[in-house]
Amino acid sequence: VVQEVDFIAANIYPFWEGVTVECAMMRFHEAYLSLLPLKGNKEIFISEAGWKTKGPIVGEAVPSLKNTIRYDHELLSWSKAYGIQVSLFSFIDEPWKSNNVNDDDGWGIRSE
C-alpha cells in the first residue's frame, strides 16, 4: 500500500492504550518509530492525536483539562523538534460534533 500513496497519515492515541499522561509521549514516539521501516521515501504526518478532557478513565489514562494541556504541549514540542506535522483532535473542535456541550464526553462527540 505504501508504494501507492503520496504520504502516510497516522492516528496515534496513547490515551486509548491506557497510558498515563506522564508516559504518553514515550509511547507516542515508539508508535511513530514503528512506522519508519514501512515508510520508504514517503512523508509521515500525524493526522490525529489528542487527549480527552473528560469522560471515563481508560486503563491508567485519566481524562482532564490539565492532562490535555500537558499532552498537547509535549506533543507540539515533539512535533517541532522532529519536524513532523501534527493535527490535534480536540474537544468540540467542530460545531457539528455536539449540539449540547453538557452531553459531550471529551472529544466533541455526543452520545444518544
Side-chain angles (χ1 to χ4, degrees):
V1 172
V2 171
Q3 294 172 346
E4 301 302 321
V5 300
D6 296 327
F7 56 86
I8 299 170
N11 297 355
I12 302 176
Y13 285 103
F15 180 91
W16 291 117
E17 295 182 41
V19 177
T20 65
V21 73
E22 294 82 9
C23 296
M25 282 311 302
M26 181 177 64
R27 177 62 195 117
F28 183 97
H29 188 69
E30 289 171 354
Y32 174 78
L33 291 176
S34 74
L35 298 172
L36 295 180
L38 308 173
K39 81 177 201 94
N41 63 348
K42 308 296 178 162
E43 178 185 3
I44 297 175
F45 79 94
I46 309 306
S47 51
E48 283 190 20
W51 197 271
K52 288 184 72 155
T53 56
K54 61 182 179 177
I57 294 171
V58 175
E60 295 184 63
V62 177
S64 72
L65 182 57
K66 179 181 176 183
N67 286 347
T68 298
I69 291 168
R70 176 183 176 158
Y71 179 80
D72 288 355
H73 175 75
E74 291 178 6
L75 178 60
L76 294 175
S77 294
W78 177 92
S79 171
K80 185 176 180 180
Y82 287 90
I84 307 298
Q85 293 181 29
V86 173
S87 177
L88 287 173
F89 185 88
S90 61
F91 170 68
I92 307 194
D93 56 347
E94 297 162 353
W96 58 267
K97 291 182 183 169
S98 178
N99 293 328
N100 184 341
V101 174
N102 296 324
D103 289 341
D104 181 60
D105 76 344
W107 288 110
I109 302 170
R110 186 180 66 205
S111 59
E112 297 287 334

